[in-house]
Amino acid sequence: MRYSGFRILQQALTGQKGWTPAWRNPDPQPHYDYIIVGGGGHGLATAYYLAKQFRQSRIAVLEKGWIGGGNVGRNTTIIRSNYLLDGNEPFYEFSLKLWEGLEQDFNYNAMVSQRGILNLFHSDAQRDAYIRRGNAMRLHGADAELLDRDQIRRDYPFLDFDNARFPIKGGLAQRRGGTVRHDAVAWGYARGADQRGVDIIQNCAVTGLRIEDGRCTGVDTTRGFIGAGKVGVAVAGNSSRVMAMAGMRLPIESHVLQAFVSEGLKPVLPGVITFGAGHFYCSQSDKGGLVFGGDIDGYNSYAQRGNLPVIEDVAEGGMALFPGLGRVRLLRAWGGVMDMSMDGSPIIDRTPVDGLYLNGGWCYGGFKATPASGWCFAHLLATDQPHPTVTAYRLDRFARGLMIDEKGVGAQPNLH
Amino acid sequence: MIINHPLLGPCDAQEFTYLGDASLLHRPDGMAEGAEAAFVDYAYPRENPAGLHRELWFHEQGDRSWLVVTRDTVTHEITQVELASDVARREGRSR
Ligand SMILES: Cc1cc2nc3c(=O)[nH]c(=O)nc-3n(C[C@H](O)[C@H](O)[C@H](O)COP(=O)(O)OP(=O)(O)OC[C@H]3O[C@@H](n4cnc5c(N)ncnc54)[C@H](O)[C@@H]3O)c2cc1C
């Protein structure tokens, strides 16, 4: 069923009785050409583009829980392409371009809102670093704009501009950045993939990767063995656990990241703002809640919940930037398990096992990557060649000294 | 989280910084045959288990000792805390 304004009117007049489920609930077949492990944003987008863009068929997505129950439904929904390094910026800009046409492409309202993102700076050195990053972005065709205090004051008059320790000196804005309704991304891709014949199989955990003569021939699951021509793994925080089934150790640690949402308020924050002197970022959802977060907790964790010290740290950052926040009540807090790679950048690559492909290492920033990650992973699965924007995301870059370390902090995941 | 320091008793985990997997105690010999591959293996890949994990914590805001903490990464429960120097000696790492 195609969604449109006309359809809404028609359904309103006929008692809303004609809506059909957005995707089927099929039983697994014995064999597929492509199995995607993980029904998060990346896995569903991969299946969608495999079917739509690369015209492949006989595709299944296997999800151990329900689609959208992982990080794709837990993140703070920010999209942007404000990276510095050559290995990253073209990929994230490709992703931002895909976001711009996504809703028409998959015929689903994902509430893509280009309300802009503003990174504040608080010192001269930080200003210089942001100018450099803005120039790098523009060289790759992205938009970036340096704003001074007065320009920022117009949109954000309530920030603490003259904070004694961290006065706001300006900011780097990317106006095409913004937010997207995260669940709708999973649902839109799922529906689009399903319409093109992809089997989305929920409550089906992969428990083993079957490898014969160095080739992956299928997966053992809680619903039995399923054979496959090619297996693509896109399980985010669980990457190490699934790839261990093929005897691999990944350059990844799993860490917990928390996020918070306040009670609903009238519109106050027009875009996304980030504090440059501590780790705090904030936007306002269309329901009115302030959505904010900060650092990862900093120790290995698969718990999907964090601890109090980080909540305190995030709140302190928020208060330093935005003192009015202290009067707002917190509604909810939650956590998700991040696949923190050793250089803070992702991996989209083949593996030493034939027919087994990996998409992981997204750290705390993989939501914005969802469309391009799906597209590029589908490209790799269908053609066995990397898409031009992901040639740097190799699994062997660590051994070859070709790390993509945006922050320049070395092989220490809790510093990225 | 509370880390039960072997010398100081229970301490808030906030007093510590976290380094990672305790296998980092076993730094390879840079002069040995195949040192390059050994260092890649030391620096980058990790077991990253869901369950018991032996890991290095540094008591930065305390006595500045290194500890080996055994913690469950699914529940955050800490079951064992040792001085890293004791562990290193036991595992033949220090003089
Ligand atoms: C609190 C928080 C805030 C964030 N904020 C942002 C942000 O503002 N901007 C941004 O760009 N990114 C953000 N991120 C990061 C982003 O959410 C992730 O990088 C991204 O969602 C990961 O890809 P995914 O959607 O495919 O992951 P997931 O949705 O986690 O998908 C992986 C799926 O694999 C499934 N799976 C695991 N093991 C198996 C198995 N054995 N068999 C079958 N299925 C399995 C899981 O159940 C899960 O559904 C944030 C993350 C968190 C936690």
Side-chain angles (χ1 to χ4, degrees):
Chain A
M1 175 191 283
R2 236 193 112 66
Y3 295 154
S4 64
F6 171 73
R7 184 80 69 189
I8 291 175
L9 259 171
Q10 183 205 34
Q11 289 296 328
L13 297 174
T14 55
Q16 312 284 358
K17 294 210 178 79
W19 298 112
T20 53
W23 53 83
R24 297 163 297 135
N25 219 348
D27 287 324
Q29 290 172 25
H31 188 276
Y32 291 93
D33 289 353
Y34 298 95
I35 286 181
I36 311 299
V37 186
H42 292 218
L44 293 165
T46 303
Y48 174 78
Y49 291 118
L50 257 181
K52 177 164 190 279
Q53 201 60 36
F54 297 92
R55 307 205 166 277
Q56 302 298 306
S57 54
R58 304 184 37 75
I59 305 163
V61 176
L62 309 183
E63 165 53 50
K64 77 171 170 189
W66 67 96
I67 59 169
N71 291 341
V72 70
R74 292 167 185 268
N75 63 74
T76 42
T77 80
I78 299 163
I79 63 167
R80 57 187 171 88
S81 70
N82 54 2
Y83 285 73
L84 172 71
L85 299 180
D86 285 344
N88 277 329
E89 181 59 18
F91 169 79
Y92 286 104
E93 178 55 21
F94 176 45
S95 202
L96 195 51
K97 290 211 173 75
L98 289 175
W99 284 116
E100 287 172 331
L102 182 65
E103 295 165 294
Q104 286 70 31
D105 189 65
F106 68 19
N107 180 232
Y108 201 88
N109 181 8
M111 296 164 68
V112 177
S113 164
Q114 292 182 290
R115 55 185 69 183
I117 178 163
L118 176 64
N119 300 143
L120 298 166
F121 58 77
H122 310 269
S123 68
D124 292 351
Q126 200 170 27
R127 180 199 56 214
D128 293 349
Y130 281 19
I131 291 174
R132 180 174 174 226
R133 182 151 56 87
N135 286 339
M137 292 161 64
R138 294 173 72 124
L139 284 173
H140 287 292
D143 66 306
E145 203 180 319
L146 202 72
L147 302 184
D148 63 24
R149 280 162 63 99
D150 292 335
Q151 287 168 300
I152 295 171
R153 224 187 268 273
R154 243 173 276 149
D155 282 341
Y156 299 98
F158 44 82
L159 298 183
D160 191 1
F161 283 84
D162 298 311
N163 183 298
R165 278 180 76 194
F166 309 119
I168 295 170
K169 300 213 158 185
L172 183 69
Q174 182 174 36
R175 300 208 189 263
R176 287 163 60 241
T179 58
V180 182
R181 168 87 201 274
H182 52 7
D183 304 307
V185 174
W187 301 333
Y189 275 123
R191 174 169 164 273
D194 178 86
Q195 284 175 344
R196 288 166 179 80
V198 173
D199 283 356
I200 296 166
I201 301 161
Q202 304 183 71
N203 298 310
C204 178
V206 168
T207 53
L209 296 167
R210 198 165 293 179
I211 294 163
E212 289 162 19
D213 299 328
R215 180 165 189 91
C216 186
T217 55
V219 296
D220 292 307
T221 77
T222 45
R223 297 179 67 174
F225 174 76
I226 309 176
K230 292 178 177 177
V231 176
V233 175
V235 294
N238 284 294
S239 297
S240 296
R241 296 173 77 187
V242 172
M243 296 312 279
M245 297 171 191
M248 291 174 60
R249 286 163 77 225
L250 298 182
I252 287 177
E253 284 179 2
S254 294
H255 284 250
V256 59
L257 175 66
Q258 305 190 62
F260 312 88
V261 65
S262 77
E263 59 187 332
L265 305 174
K266 287 188 176 170
V268 49
L269 276 183
V272 183
I273 49 170
T274 72
F275 185 33
H279 205 154
F280 171 82
Y281 63 92
C282 189
S283 67
Q284 188 168 19
S285 78
D286 291 343
K287 276 196 285 188
L290 298 177
V291 181
F292 57 97
D295 268 326
I296 55 175
D297 271 39
Y299 43 81
N300 288 43
S301 174
Y302 283 91
Q304 292 196 325
R305 63 182 164 75
N307 278 308
L308 288 169
V310 165
I311 301 182
E312 187 178 13
D313 185 64
V314 171
E316 280 172 358
M319 287 300 288
L321 179 67
F322 182 1
L325 196 64
R327 304 299 296 266
V328 177
R329 276 166 298 194
L330 199 62
L331 200 62
R332 284 183 289 129
W334 64 94
V337 180
M338 323 277 30
D339 35 342
M340 298 298 298
S341 66
M342 285 290 170
D343 61 357
S345 295
I347 296 157
I348 298 182
D349 201 0
R350 286 184 278 193
T351 70
V353 179
D354 278 343
L356 181 64
Y357 301 76
L358 173 66
N359 172 325
W362 292 100
C363 303
Y364 44 75
F367 177 67
K368 69 175 95 67
T370 305
S373 164
W375 184 298
C376 296
F377 201 36
H379 185 289
L380 180 70
L381 284 162
T383 67
D384 266 310
Q385 297 294 323
H387 184 273
T389 62
V390 296
T391 50
Y393 293 161
R394 297 170 61 121
L395 184 54
D396 68 358
R397 68 173 181 267
F398 301 92
R400 293 154 58 103
L402 299 172
M403 271 69 78
I404 315 165
D405 189 345
E406 280 279 333
K407 265 185 143 180
V409 292
Q412 185 61 34
N414 61 1
L415 297 182
H416 284 293
Chain B
M1 292 187 292
I2 301 288
I3 295 177
N4 196 2
H5 192 297
L7 305 177
L8 304 176
C11 300
D12 193 321
Q14 271 302 88
E15 296 169 13
F16 295 78
T17 56
Y18 177 80
L19 184 66
D21 195 312
S23 66
L24 289 169
L25 286 174
H26 296 274
R27 185 185 169 87
D29 175 0
M31 292 297 132
E33 197 71 21
E36 193 179 325
F39 265 100
V40 169
D41 199 55
Y42 172 78
Y44 300 111
R46 295 283 182 267
E47 290 300 328
N48 193 20
L52 289 188
H53 190 226
R54 286 174 77 241
E55 53 201 24
L56 287 165
W57 292 74
F58 176 55
H59 202 191
E60 189 174 36
Q61 312 285 323
D63 69 345
R64 303 186 75 76
S65 59
W66 281 95
L67 303 182
V68 174
V69 174
T70 306
R71 190 178 57 92
D72 190 319
T73 59
V74 177
T75 61
H76 297 164
E77 189 194 358
I78 293 171
T79 43
Q80 198 184 5
V81 183
E82 296 170 276
L83 287 172
S85 53
D86 290 348
V87 176
R89 211 169 289 124
R90 195 173 68 226
E91 295 178 1
R93 284 303 303 174
S94 76
R95 277 150 284 171

